[in-house]
């Protein structure tokens, strides 16, 4: 039966949603007002922002949940890792992150955390060490990473302002307006 007059409810403390991640009975929502945890069964909400947590900014660009249940949150002032009462901020002062402006996160099959930055390139964190890929040390065409996505365990797609990059192991292939059917180079 189709509802003719559905009821809409706002479960956030913001008008825009930038990221969503699912974890069991919870949905994590990143917005311009922080992070919201919504219970899918009871609809109970819990809000996290820079006033009640170590979030360095209320603007959340991305959120992912890893295999151990840690949440990874991208902000323009660093990367947050948290689970229950354990919170840590990774930024340029305490880690190998090349730039604090983190725009996108992906987690590979080995639970490595990949972050795309706005201006610092791409970084991979294995839980101990950071490996940075940028225009100076790799075939990335731009240090501005808009999005990341794994097609399979070994193929990472990287959306940059200068084209779409396929990284397979040590091989990098850039697709742009001059060598593919792309109509623009700034891929989101």
């Amino acid at each position: 039966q189709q509802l003719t007059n559905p009821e809409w409810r706002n479960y956030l403390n913001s008008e825009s949603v930038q990221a969503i991640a699912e974890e069991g009975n919870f949905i994590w929502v990143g917005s311009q007002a922080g992070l919201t945890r919504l219970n899918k069964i009871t609809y109970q909400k819990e809000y996290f922002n820079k006033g009640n947590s170590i979030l360095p900014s209320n603007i959340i660009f991305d959120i992912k949940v890893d295999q151990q249940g840690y949440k990874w949150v991208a902000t323009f002032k660093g990367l947050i890792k948290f689970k229950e009462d354990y919170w840590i901020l990774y930024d340029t002062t305490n880690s190998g992150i090349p730039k604090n402006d983190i725009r996108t996160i992906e987690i590979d099959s080995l639970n490595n955390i990949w972050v795309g930055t706005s201006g610092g390139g791409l970084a991979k964190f294995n839980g101990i060490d950071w490996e940075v890929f940028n225009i100076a040390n790799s075939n990335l065409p731009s240090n501005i990473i808009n999005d990341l996505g794994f097609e399979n365990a070994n193929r990472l797609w990287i959306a940059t302002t200068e084209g779409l990059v396929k990284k397979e192991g040590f091989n990098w292939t850039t697709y742009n307006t001059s060598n593919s059917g792309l109509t623009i180079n700034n891929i989101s």
Side-chain angles (χ1 to χ4, degrees):
Q1 175 180 336
Q2 185 176 6
L3 296 175
T4 57
N5 192 12
E7 181 180 329
W8 291 92
R9 294 183 184 186
N10 184 356
Y11 292 102
L12 302 176
N13 55 351
S14 175
E15 292 181 5
S16 69
V17 172
Q18 318 230 130
I20 298 174
E22 190 172 8
E23 180 191 31
N25 290 330
F26 296 100
I27 295 176
W28 292 92
V29 181
S31 70
Q32 293 187 4
L35 196 57
T36 302
R37 182 177 75 169
L38 174 65
N39 186 309
K40 294 188 295 186
I41 297 169
T42 66
Y43 299 105
Q44 191 173 15
K45 302 172 293 261
E46 186 174 5
Y47 299 109
F48 301 91
N49 57 46
K50 66 181 188 176
N52 68 0
S53 71
I54 70 160
L55 283 172
S57 166
N58 287 337
I59 299 172
I60 308 299
F61 292 114
D62 202 0
I63 180 167
K64 295 292 189 290
V65 181
D66 72 15
Q67 296 166 4
Q68 283 79 40
Y70 286 98
K71 275 61 74 183
W72 295 84
V73 181
T75 78
F76 73 92
K77 292 186 176 181
L79 178 70
I80 295 290
K81 173 187 177 184
F82 76 95
K83 182 178 180 180
E84 298 164 7
D85 291 334
Y86 173 83
W87 291 68
I88 185 168
L89 167 66
Y90 295 101
D91 62 21
T92 57
T93 67
N94 68 359
S95 73
I97 286 180
K99 186 119 176 168
N100 286 335
D101 193 347
I102 311 294
R103 294 303 174 110
T104 182
I105 305 166
E106 270 301 326
I107 303 172
D108 69 21
S109 61
L110 299 175
N111 215 34
N112 293 309
I113 309 302
W114 294 77
V115 295
T117 71
S118 181
L122 176 68
K124 174 185 163 186
F125 183 53
N126 66 9
I128 299 170
D129 298 313
W130 292 88
E131 184 176 7
V132 176
F133 305 94
N134 56 43
I135 60 173
N137 70 3
S138 74
N139 286 331
L140 271 177
S142 170
N143 284 333
I144 300 173
I145 311 299
N146 294 323
D147 205 359
L148 298 169
F150 278 96
E151 182 178 343
N152 58 43
N154 197 39
R155 185 176 298 148
L156 175 64
W157 290 96
I158 306 161
T160 79
T161 56
E162 296 298 325
L164 180 64
V165 179
K166 177 176 68 173
K167 181 183 182 317
E168 287 187 278
F170 296 106
N171 299 317
W172 301 74
T173 306
T174 299
Y175 301 93
N176 55 38
T177 57
S178 66
N179 69 1
S180 72
L182 290 175
T183 57
I184 60 169
N185 286 330
N186 190 359
I187 309 298
S188 295

